[in-house]
Amino acid sequence: MALAQKTKEAFLGPLNVNNPVLVQILGICSALAVTVQLKPALVMGISVTIIVALSNVVISLIRKSIPMRIRIIVQLVVVAALVTIVSEILKAFAYDVAMQLSVYIGLIITNCILMGRLEAFAMTNNVKDSLLDGLGNGFGYAIILVIVAFVRELLGSGKLLGFQIIPDSWYVANGGCYENCGMMLMPAMALILVGCVIWAHRSINEEKK
Amino acid sequence: MEHALSLFVRTIFADNMVFAFFLGMCSFLAVSKDVKTSLGLGIAVIFVQTITLPINYLLQTQVLEPLGLGYLSFILFIAVIAAITQLVEMIVEKVSPSLYATLGIFLPLIAVNCAIMGGSLFMQQRVGLDPENVKAIANIGDAFAFAIGSGLGWLMAIVCLAGIREKMEYNDVPKPLQGIGITFITVGLMAMAFMCFSGLDI
């Protein structure tokens, strides 16, 4: 049972209690930059999940043969190769999203979640646990992206996934009394929103204890 | 020359790495607890950025583009950055042990600092821009201006935040918001202030 418990923890821990963004404060850069709209945030979340899971598996497979002194370079090359593949696939099948994400796809390489998980987990654990740990952390990251992007797109442009949610007739231009909050589209609001999500998350977890 | 200067000033303020692009956020938030350490990390970032970005610029324009190997850029750039950080660490350790004592612990961190990789990726995007565009990086001089400017902007941001956080030690912040939560909101407010520079032009 002890083993099963650990496996379960590897997957479920990062979703809430040990969330990579909210608790470990990893991977903030891209989490903030791609959340103006829901669609790029979703694509980014999925890409990161796939890359974390696969790189965790690869590093876990070769963990016994990596020399300790150059392990960072080995890890970076594995991740860079995977990111290159994902970037080429995105350019082929979802060109407009790839353009919107611009440099942030490449920046998955230096996303601290990856290096953090590879160093802390994949280097010392077996393949199955590493895969689950990677998936868990990827999903934990994606959840935060989706929450922040949901609020920003809804309040900032009245849309979700590109569809108009706030009826047209509500807008001031059409005789209503509603105005989009332009502030939500600014970089500054992403930071403040993540701050608020952390606040809520900590308050809830505090109560549980 | 005028273009390089304009690019330099713009990169520090209007296109600040932290406040406009969120690059280098992880170490920015983790290390900004006191002014002295953040100054050390900031200097290390300028140092590595100024070496790696022009090298990556030359690789991009002289090797990758003529050979049509653009898709290899991620692997090549990160290899250059990781190798240079390792090299710089060894040289600094040999030449100046006192500098190593202050910068040493930060150098390995920098290999995975997104500000460095992000700088190189932005450079790659801007190489092909129209030379009239203020953001264009048309020659090696521009690459240097962009590298030093982005490093300096990052240093300024982290030192400012560290100063604010040192003062904030004495404030009465709600318990769940303490530490990282309030830091995020502080950075958000700083980013708003930095938006004032967005119209800056020389």
Side-chain angles (χ1 to χ4, degrees):
Chain A
M1 270 319 277
L3 192 71
Q5 185 65 36
K6 195 182 163 221
T7 311
K8 201 174 148 197
E9 185 53 35
F11 181 66
L12 292 178
L15 289 182
N16 182 18
V17 186
N18 212 3
N19 190 291
V21 180
L22 300 182
V23 181
Q24 306 173 51
I25 317 296
L26 298 175
I28 305 293
C29 324
S30 49
L32 297 169
V34 301
T35 50
V36 177
Q37 285 167 353
L38 202 50
K39 198 171 155 201
L42 267 177
V43 173
M44 188 73 180
I46 296 168
S47 313
V48 169
T49 308
I50 293 171
I51 293 172
V52 179
L54 286 182
S55 59
N56 252 359
V57 168
V58 173
I59 291 294
S60 170
L61 277 173
I62 58 172
R63 69 180 188 277
K64 294 208 175 78
S65 50
I66 301 176
M68 273 316 264
R69 284 190 69 88
I70 58 157
R71 65 179 193 286
I72 303 239
I73 297 183
V74 174
Q75 290 163 357
L76 281 175
V77 170
V78 169
V79 174
L82 286 167
V83 171
T84 307
I85 295 169
V86 168
S87 156
E88 294 297 313
I89 291 176
L90 278 180
K91 274 184 196 154
F93 294 105
Y95 189 75
D96 52 331
V97 179
M99 286 299 105
Q100 230 174 341
L101 290 171
S102 75
V103 299
Y104 294 99
I105 284 286
L107 284 175
I108 298 177
I109 299 173
T110 48
N111 193 320
C112 334
I113 295 180
L114 280 152
M115 294 307 284
R117 289 337 287 169
L118 294 180
E119 276 286 292
F121 202 90
M123 285 299 282
T124 47
N125 284 283
N126 65 30
V127 177
K128 199 181 99 196
D129 286 354
S130 301
L131 175 68
L132 286 172
D133 180 77
L135 285 175
N137 276 286
F139 285 136
Y141 171 84
I143 290 172
I144 307 304
L145 251 67
V146 168
I147 293 175
V148 176
F150 180 84
V151 176
R152 283 183 82 187
E153 192 175 2
L154 187 62
L155 298 182
S157 43
K159 296 175 185 172
L160 279 180
L161 283 170
F163 296 109
Q164 192 73 32
I165 295 291
I166 312 281
D168 274 336
S169 54
W170 287 17
Y171 283 97
V172 173
N174 299 329
C177 56
Y178 185 80
E179 194 82 71
N180 280 330
C181 175
M183 199 66 214
M184 280 289 166
L185 303 177
M186 301 290 179
M189 274 320 281
L191 286 156
I192 294 177
L193 271 177
V194 174
C196 294
V197 174
I198 291 177
W199 188 2
H201 180 257
R202 293 225 168 143
S203 318
I204 294 166
N205 277 13
E206 204 85 333
E207 272 167 29
K208 271 190 204 155
K209 278 174 202 163
Chain B
M1 195 59 220
E2 198 187 319
H3 176 80
L5 191 68
S6 163
L7 181 74
F8 177 70
V9 174
R10 208 188 144 76
T11 318
I12 298 180
F13 296 105
D15 288 346
N16 187 290
M17 277 288 174
V18 176
F19 298 127
F21 300 117
F22 308 113
L23 295 180
M25 265 295 169
C26 306
S27 35
F28 177 74
L29 294 170
V31 184
S32 58
K33 288 203 181 73
D34 67 284
V35 173
K36 209 175 151 222
T37 348
S38 31
L39 197 65
L41 183 67
I43 292 170
V45 166
I46 300 183
F47 201 53
V48 176
Q49 184 83 303
T50 321
I51 300 172
T52 53
L53 209 141
I55 294 181
N56 282 342
Y57 173 78
L58 289 178
L59 277 174
Q60 170 72 20
T61 50
Q62 308 298 324
V63 181
L64 291 177
E65 265 175 18
L67 297 178
L69 292 174
Y71 56 89
L72 282 182
S73 58
F74 291 167
I75 298 182
L76 204 58
F77 287 176
I78 198 70
V80 167
I81 292 168
I84 295 285
T85 3
Q86 201 97 54
L87 204 66
V88 168
E89 193 183 347
M90 288 192 299
I91 293 174
V92 170
E93 190 178 9
K94 194 91 186 163
V95 176
S96 160
S98 63
L99 185 65
Y100 182 75
T102 35
L103 288 190
I105 41 165
F106 301 121
L107 287 170
L109 263 178
I110 288 183
V112 288
N113 187 322
C114 9
I116 308 286
M117 185 66 183
S120 288
L121 292 175
F122 273 120
M123 175 277 296
Q124 188 191 20
Q125 278 195 337
R126 291 172 174 201
V127 164
L129 286 180
D130 172 30
E132 289 299 305
N133 192 328
V134 67
K135 289 182 178 180
I137 295 177
N139 53 44
I140 187 84
D142 290 351
F144 267 109
F146 182 65
I148 300 174
S150 56
L152 214 56
W154 201 86
L155 171 94
M156 187 177 63
I158 193 170
V159 172
C160 288
L161 179 65
I164 296 177
R165 281 182 79 170
E166 276 188 1
K167 287 266 182 266
M168 226 158 48
E169 289 279 294
Y170 308 105
N171 292 8
D172 191 15
V173 178
K175 198 154 176 288
L177 202 56
Q178 269 171 17
I180 203 68
I182 193 72
T183 310
F184 264 101
I185 294 177
T186 313
V187 179
L189 295 174
M190 286 168 81
M192 276 186 210
F194 261 75
M195 269 162 32
C196 308
F197 288 116
S198 59
L200 192 75
D201 215 348
I202 300 185

